């Protein structure tokens, strides 16, 4: 976001709940703390505002990464539960819950509170199972992949990445790499590279090859020097 646009957002004087929700959503791109404060104002005016709760819940969950403080994740789940009480299950809503539970589990583990961590991890697993009903849905497969990766089930994570389109090729290749399935990773690179217009496949191919080649000359020979990877 440009400095000019940033200045315009900060200059907004909201006069309604909707204004505050919109401002908070824009502030999220550059200042999560300010976004949360703006959404606090919106929710103080309308405690049942679903959009404000969903956005603030996501902000609070992400802030847990910065602080390792489980309280933020618990407060995120409070927002999500209230929003969820007015909504039917969707892959987006369940994904937000799954993310918050995984973050909470990690935060509790970091602070050596094993029991609380295991509770959240179990709840994340329950939600991952519910997401399985959304076959073919990008968000559902993506977050199931994250869950299985988190718990160390790389085989199932690969299955989830394979269930969605090539926007996740990097995740698929890296998961195969971490699982030690180098031949499959290289094959995925080649398959994607046959139709890709960017250098992602070639770069990943060289990265994976580094784990299998016996001499640096092999890697140098395979790497496409001069390729514009920014395209």
């Amino acid at each position: 976001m440009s400095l000019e646009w940033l200045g315009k957002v900060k200059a907004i004087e909201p006069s309604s709940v909707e204004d505050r929700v919109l401002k908070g959503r824009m502030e999220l791109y550059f200042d999560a703390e300010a976004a949360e404060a703006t959404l606090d104002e919106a929710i103080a005016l309308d405690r049942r505002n679903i959009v404000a709760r969903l956005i603030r819940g996501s902000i609070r969950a992400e802030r847990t990464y910065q602080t390792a403080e489980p309280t933020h994740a618990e407060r995120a789940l409070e927002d999500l539960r209230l929003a969820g009480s007015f909504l039917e299950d969707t892959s987006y809503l369940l994904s937000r819950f799954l993310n918050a539970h995984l973050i909470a589990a990690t935060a509790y583990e970091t602070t050596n509170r094993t029991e609380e961590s295991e509770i959240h991890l179990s709840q994340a697993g329950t939600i991952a199972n519910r997401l399985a009903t959304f076959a073919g849905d990008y968000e559902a497969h993506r977050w199931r992949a994250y869950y299985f990766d988190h718990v160390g089930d790389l085989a199932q994570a690969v299955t989830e990445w394979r269930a969605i389109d090539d926007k996740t090729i990097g995740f698929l290749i890296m998961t195969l790499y971490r699982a030690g399935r180098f031949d499959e990773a290289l094959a995925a690179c080649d398959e994607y590279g046959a139709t890709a217009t960017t250098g992602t496949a070639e770069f990943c191919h060289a990265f994976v090859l580094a784990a299998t080649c016996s001499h640096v000359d092999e890697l140098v020979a395979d790497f496409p020097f001069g390729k514009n990877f920014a395209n």
Side-chain angles (χ1 to χ4, degrees):
M1 183 176 289
S2 68
L3 291 177
E4 180 182 1
W5 182 245
L6 171 59
K8 289 181 179 179
V9 172
K10 285 188 171 294
I12 293 174
E13 293 291 343
S15 59
S16 67
V17 173
E18 291 74 17
D19 288 347
R20 288 174 172 82
V21 172
L22 179 60
K23 182 178 181 181
R25 182 68 182 86
M26 291 188 292
E27 286 175 327
L28 176 58
Y29 288 104
F30 59 85
D31 190 340
E33 188 172 348
E36 185 174 354
T38 300
L39 291 165
D40 287 345
E41 296 176 8
I43 292 170
L45 294 170
D46 180 5
R47 294 184 58 81
R48 295 188 175 187
N49 190 290
I50 295 172
V51 177
R53 292 279 185 175
L54 287 173
I55 298 173
R56 192 175 72 173
S58 295
I59 292 171
R60 287 174 165 178
E62 294 304 319
R63 286 190 66 192
T64 310
Y65 277 125
Q66 303 170 359
T67 64
E69 173 49 61
T71 301
H72 289 305
E74 296 288 5
R75 294 172 69 196
L77 286 163
E78 289 176 9
D79 276 337
L80 295 174
R81 288 187 187 107
L82 190 142
S85 69
F86 296 99
L87 299 170
E88 295 182 359
D89 280 354
T90 64
S91 61
Y92 175 81
L93 178 63
L94 292 176
S95 296
R96 295 302 87 205
F97 272 114
L98 179 56
N99 182 45
H101 279 300
L102 288 178
I103 289 173
T106 300
Y108 279 120
E109 183 179 11
T110 300
T111 54
N112 297 315
R113 296 168 66 177
T114 305
E115 184 176 352
E116 290 97 330
S117 177
E118 290 178 350
I119 289 172
H120 281 285
L121 202 55
S122 175
Q123 291 172 327
T126 298
I127 295 170
N129 288 336
R130 289 163 66 185
L131 281 170
T133 63
F134 295 87
D137 183 276
Y138 175 81
E139 286 293 314
H141 287 295
R142 181 165 73 103
W143 283 97
R144 276 172 57 81
Y146 289 150
Y147 166 75
F148 288 116
D149 192 295
H150 186 95
V151 299
D153 188 346
L154 296 182
Q156 187 60 44
V158 167
T159 298
E160 298 301 328
W161 289 128
R162 288 195 184 280
I164 47 185
D165 63 37
D166 61 17
K167 286 184 290 188
T168 61
I169 188 66
F171 291 107
L172 170 62
I173 293 169
M174 288 301 102
T175 305
L176 288 167
Y177 173 87
R178 289 170 49 235
R181 294 160 63 174
F182 303 123
D183 289 344
E184 291 177 67
L186 291 171
C189 291
D190 293 342
E191 180 181 354
Y192 179 66
T195 57
T197 57
T198 69
T200 302
E202 290 87 348
F203 182 86
C204 288
H205 190 282
F207 182 87
V208 175
L209 188 65
T212 61
C213 64
S214 58
H215 194 278
V216 69
D217 289 343
E218 280 186 70
L219 182 60
V220 172
D222 185 77
F223 194 85
F225 291 101
K227 183 79 174 182
N228 185 355
F229 293 108
N231 286 343

